[in-house]
Every structure is written in structure tokens, then in C-alpha cells.
């Protein structure tokens, strides 16, 4: 299969708990819009903190840049202090939502089960979930990277019907590479991505697996994005730190788009 297999890559910026003040978020979104929109070869998304979603959606109105939530609850409403429902994100203008990020799993108690519920609830609310999987350093060193990510993927897809599967975007984010400056090599990423695609085929069939976008995340920069995205099963990236500066982020978008020429 040629690089990308015809799948349009996605570059998604995960702002995490940064740039969440409306004015700051507007300024960053304006720059992302100005610098990224021309790179048609890759779809672009940004995931601001909840407080900045509406200002960012307003700033990006009419632009080809999607807005994503960084997390959601699986319930539609109710007594869940601090949580936001998928439908609320959709109503605020989000088209996507990140679920199961390793920081949510590690710091906020997300489990394979809750990630599965969130994934399904996101789809039912009309959002595209970016479901994250990834092993820790001890797990990698114990030779468990494939087994751990497979377990996480099977759980995330478990409750979905055939039509729902088509909406899922996957992100492989080795925990040891997130925010550490230690990117997985292109070969390490490809090995896990290929495995995840094979698992996806076993779960949802060959057509689903062939169309599934699998993003890589973990210390992606303009310097390494192109090399990663040239791998056959790497369909773009989920960018943390480097998404907070529009110029650098746009270079990542350009590098990924370039791999599909
Ligand atoms: P990083 O974060 O690019 O800062 O390593 C990636 C992520 O957590 O999505």
C-alpha cells in the first residue's frame, strides 16, 4: 500500500491546559487559520480548553480547521460536576473530541471502560472521537507495547456498531514520548500503527481498517513530522507542545501534507 493508502491525514493540535483565556485562544486560532489553511493535503484540527471553544469556533468560522474538545463525559447531562457532555461540545461548534488521552488515564482515572463509553457517546452526539492508546515506558521495556495498545484499542471499539466504527480516528501516543522530547522513531511508530490496523481489521473488517486514520502523538515537531507521516500506516499526528506556536504548528501541517503529494 502506498504511504497513507489514500487516507487524508489529520494534524490535530492538543492545546491541553494552555491558551484557554478567550483572547489568547482567539489570537492563536487566528494565526493557525492564517498559516495552516493553505495546506490542503492535510486536515487540521485544534483542541482548546473548554473555556476557549466558543471563541475559537467563532475565530475559525468558515475556515477548514476543525475544533475538538479534549475530553467529554459519556452521559448527556446531569449531576457530573466538572464534566462536559458530547452534545454540549457539538452545540458549541466542535466536530471532534479527544478521548482516552494518557494524561486523562493517568491523572484523572480514565479507564479502558470509560474511554469506550466516551468514544461511543461522542459518536452518538455526532462528534468524531480521536481515541488515544499508548504504552508506558515500563510496558515498552517489558515487550508489552503491542499487547497494551491492542487491549486499549479493542476496548475503545468494543461497543461500536459497523456504521459507528467509520467515524473513529485513532491516535497512538506512547506515554514515554509525550512532552519528553523523546519521539518514537518512524520505525517504532510504524510497527505499532501496522499492528493497530491489523487489530482494527480483526474487529471491524478490512474496509474499516483500510480507511481508519491512525495519528502518531508524542513530541512531534516540524523536524520529525514528515518522516513519521511518510510511514505507510501513519496518517498524521496529534501535537501537544508544538501546537501552541502557530508558525511551528503550520510547519508540521505542511510537512505532513507534503508526504501526500
Ligand atoms: P507533546 O504532546 O506533543 O507535547 O508530546 C502530545 C500529546 O499529548 O497529545
Amino acid at each position: 500500500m502506498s504511504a497513507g493508502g489514500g487516507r487524508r491525514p489529520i494534524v490535530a493540535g492538543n492545546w491541553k491546559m494552555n491558551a484557554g483565556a478567550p483572547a489568547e485562544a482567539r489570537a492563536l486560532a487566528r494565526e493557525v487559520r492564517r498559516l495552516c489553511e493553505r495546506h490542503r493535503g492535510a486536515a487540521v484540527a485544534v483542541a482548546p480548553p473548554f473555556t476557549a471553544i466558543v471563541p475559537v469556533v467563532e475565530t475559525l468560522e468558515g475556515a477548514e480547521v476543525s475544533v475538538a474538545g479534549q475530553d467529554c463525559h459519556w452521559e448527556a447531562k446531569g449531576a457530573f460536576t466538572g464534566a462536559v457532555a458530547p452534545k454540549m461540545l457539538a452545540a458549541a461548534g466542535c466536530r471532534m473530541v479527544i478521548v482516552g488521552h494518557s494524561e486523562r488515564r493517568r491523572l484523572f482515572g480514565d479507564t479502558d471502560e470509560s474511554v469506550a463509553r466516551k468514544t461511543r457517546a461522542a459518536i452518538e452526539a455526532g462528534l468524531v472521537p480521536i481515541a488515544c492508546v499508548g504504552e508506558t515506558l515500563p510496558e515498552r521495556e517489558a515487550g508489552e507495547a503491542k499487547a497494551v495498545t491492542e487491549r486499549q484499542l479493542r476496548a475503545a471499539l468494543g461497543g461500536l456498531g459497523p456504521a459507528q466504527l467509520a467515524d473513529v480516528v485513532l491516535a497512538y501516543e506512547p506515554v514515554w514520548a509525550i512532552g519528553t522530547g523523546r519521539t518514537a522513531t518512524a520505525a517504532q511508530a510504524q510497527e505499532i500503527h501496522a499492528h493497530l490496523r491489523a487489530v482494527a481489521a480483526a474487529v471491524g473488517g478490512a474496509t474499516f481498517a483500510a480507511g481508519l486514520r491512525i495519528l502518531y502523538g508524542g513530541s512531534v515537531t516540524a523536524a520529525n513530522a514528515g518522516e513519521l507521516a511518510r510511514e505507510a500506516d501513519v496518517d498524521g499526528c496529534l501535537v501537544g507542545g508544538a501546537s501552541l506556536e502557530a508558525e511551528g504548528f503550520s510547519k508540521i501541517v505542511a510537512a505532513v501534507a507534503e508526504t501526500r503529494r
Side-chain angles (χ1 to χ4, degrees):
M1 190 180 279
S2 65
R7 296 176 293 271
R8 189 178 187 213
I10 301 172
V11 179
N14 174 9
W15 295 2
K16 306 193 179 183
M17 201 169 75
N18 300 291
E24 191 186 0
R26 267 198 193 93
L28 180 53
R30 230 180 345 257
E31 282 301 281
V32 168
R33 177 176 195 156
R34 186 172 71 79
L35 295 166
C36 296
E37 257 203 311
R38 62 192 128 107
H39 304 297
R40 303 274 169 187
V44 180
V46 293
F50 293 137
T51 48
I53 285 173
V54 169
V56 168
V57 166
E58 286 170 359
T59 305
L60 295 174
E61 200 188 330
E64 283 206 44
V65 179
S66 302
V67 180
Q70 295 178 12
D71 183 41
C72 64
H73 197 18
W74 56 85
E75 294 287 353
K77 62 177 183 173
F80 304 101
T81 302
V84 173
K87 271 218 154 62
M88 296 172 183
L89 294 176
C94 287
R95 281 190 248 157
M96 312 178 94
V97 61
I98 299 168
V99 292
H101 190 280
S102 67
E103 284 151 18
R104 299 295 320 173
R105 292 179 192 258
R106 186 165 49 89
L107 304 171
F108 300 97
D110 281 19
T111 61
D112 285 354
E113 195 201 348
S114 66
V115 174
R117 288 178 164 192
K118 291 177 180 194
T119 303
R120 189 165 152 187
I123 293 168
E124 285 170 353
L127 296 170
V128 169
I130 304 176
C132 302
V133 302
E135 82 286 0
T136 62
L137 189 56
E139 286 165 344
R140 173 158 282 265
E141 286 172 344
E144 293 167 2
K146 284 187 184 169
V148 168
T149 52
E150 174 168 349
R151 187 201 75 222
Q152 293 170 332
L153 176 58
R154 283 185 182 276
L157 301 181
L160 304 180
Q164 294 178 318
L165 284 173
D167 290 330
V168 175
V169 170
L170 187 64
Y172 168 55
E173 297 208 306
V175 179
W176 47 272
I178 295 177
T180 59
R182 190 180 159 190
T183 320
T185 64
Q188 282 174 324
Q190 171 58 23
E191 185 187 18
I192 301 297
H193 282 230
H195 178 63
L196 293 172
R197 197 174 304 284
V199 173
V203 173
T207 306
F208 158 62
L212 175 67
R213 263 93 56 92
I214 309 180
L215 317 185
Y216 167 81
S219 297
V220 172
T221 64
N224 58 33
E227 192 187 348
L228 287 156
R230 264 191 296 278
E231 292 294 335
D233 290 295
V234 177
D235 308 310
C237 41
L238 184 52
V239 186
S243 71
L244 295 171
E245 197 270 307
E247 184 87 41
F249 184 63
S250 75
K251 289 187 178 145
I252 295 171
V253 175
V256 171
E258 184 65 30
T259 64
R260 296 305 194 270
R261 291 216 168 164

